[in-house]
Amino acid sequence: MKTLPAALCGYGLDCLLGDPAALTPIHPVVWMGKGVRALETALRARFPKTKQGELAAGTVMAAALSVGTVLSGAAILRLVRRRSPLAAFALATVWSWQVLAAKNLRDEAKNVQSKLEHDSLDAARQAVARIVGRDTAELSAEGVARAAVETVAENFSDGVIAPMLYLMLGGAPLALGYKAVNTMDSMVGYKNETYLYFGRAAARLDDLVNYIPARLSALLLIAAAHFTGEDAGNALRIWRRDRRNHASPNSGQCEAAAAGALHLRLCGPASYFGVRHDKPFIGDDDRPITPGDIDRVCRMESAGTLLALALFGGMKLIFGD
């Protein structure tokens, strides 16, 4: 099946519709989440409750869900294609739409900006809590804006560019496999008592599949800074200097590019589940952050997405779809 037309149609649907709440019950990520919980329950019951047992159980889950998602997606598409190529194209288009989160990411971030500019700080804290994992109850207005800018930058990679890249490389089934890995990591990839060992394989697999996309996303954001009137030169400088100032090998890539482009200092200490974590800063404290910076990073995200479409689409046309 031609992947480029389905991917372009899927992107168009994402631009128009985002992620409608009415379709949540049938969204692939919802079913992936149910699969994670079902596999976790079954595997924890079967493997010994030891460090080695939990590591093995988590590894089985990471392999089963990621590979199983790709193979089942490919099998379903093949079966549908035998009956109707048009129906198969429609299904690939819908899946392409569902793996992308460009519009939803912008909408959620701009909702935070609107709450900061027109509503109360408490409303803004509640809005940003929808898109970040840190504690938000005590955040200042600047802290809320900083959290929103950071999440747009970080999720530009795993919510937009990474699924788009895998979509172009292997069609909707491979992109769904990527989302399965991403979903596992978001559910069990924590360094706490419950998931320190069980979630390790999922976290490492997520690091692996995001290694190239995260760096490509940062370069796309740097290019997008040029096209949106931001400081691309400083974005490159800060990316080269600070991209490793993060516990994750991937999360700091886009945050560093965005911090440099906007002349902001991002990251730093944050609280998660009531525990303070003294994370390093990314970027220079050239000026105070404002709600308007959320709109600026969203414009960079939009421009970077279009650049990625042009890049990936051109490569598909040159090397064959």
Side-chain angles (χ1 to χ4, degrees), residues 8 72 84-85 89 112 116 166 187 191 212 222-223 239 250 293 304 318:
L8 291 175
S72 60
S84 170
F89 176 79
V112 175
L116 281 172
Y166 286 109
M187 295 178 68
K191 293 181 179 179
I212 292 175
I222 293 168
W239 173 69
N250 301 318
D293 290 315
I318 292 171

Side-chain angles (χ1 to χ4, degrees), residues 24-36 65:
T24 298
I26 61 171
H27 199 288
V29 171
V30 172
W31 289 96
M32 291 169 189
K34 293 179 178 180
V36 170
L65 191 64

Side-chain angles (χ1 to χ4, degrees), residues 215-283:
R215 286 147 183 81
L216 176 59
S217 298
L219 294 175
L220 286 166
L221 269 189
I222 293 168
H226 171 76
F227 289 104
T228 55
E230 307 299 343
D231 193 339
N234 198 53
L236 178 61
R237 182 179 71 85
I238 297 298
W239 173 69
R240 294 177 64 182
R241 191 191 75 185
D242 291 353
R243 67 185 185 273
R244 298 183 182 90
N245 288 2
H246 203 288
S248 164
N250 301 318
S251 296
Q253 302 289 326
C254 287
E255 290 181 356
L262 301 176
H263 285 268
L264 297 174
R265 188 172 70 172
L266 301 178
C267 297
S271 294
Y272 296 86
F273 305 106
V275 179
R276 178 185 168 90
H277 294 262
D278 291 318
K279 302 190 298 182
F281 288 103
I282 291 177

Side-chain angles (χ1 to χ4, degrees), residues 1 16 71-72 107 139 151 227 278 280 283:
M1 176 181 291
L16 289 172
L71 294 179
S72 60
D107 287 349
L139 288 179
T151 202
F227 289 104
D278 291 318

Side-chain angles (χ1 to χ4, degrees), residues 14 21 49 108 121 135 139 148 157 165 177 206 228 230 248 292:
D14 180 65
K49 293 178 174 57
E108 291 286 353
L121 177 56
D135 299 336
L139 288 179
S157 176
L165 176 61
D206 186 75
T228 55
E230 307 299 343
S248 164

Side-chain angles (χ1 to χ4, degrees), residues 28-41 44 58 61 65 158 178-196 198-203 206 273:
V29 171
V30 172
W31 289 96
M32 291 169 189
K34 293 179 178 180
V36 170
R37 289 296 175 233
L39 283 169
E40 179 183 359
T41 300
R44 282 187 184 276
M61 184 185 74
L65 191 64
D158 56 19
Y178 168 79
K179 294 300 289 186
V181 174
N182 202 235
T183 301
M184 277 191 293
D185 179 61
S186 68
M187 295 178 68
V188 305
Y190 297 103
K191 293 181 179 179
N192 56 26
E193 185 177 352
T194 303
Y195 292 116
L196 180 61
F198 183 84
R200 185 170 297 179
D206 186 75
F273 305 106

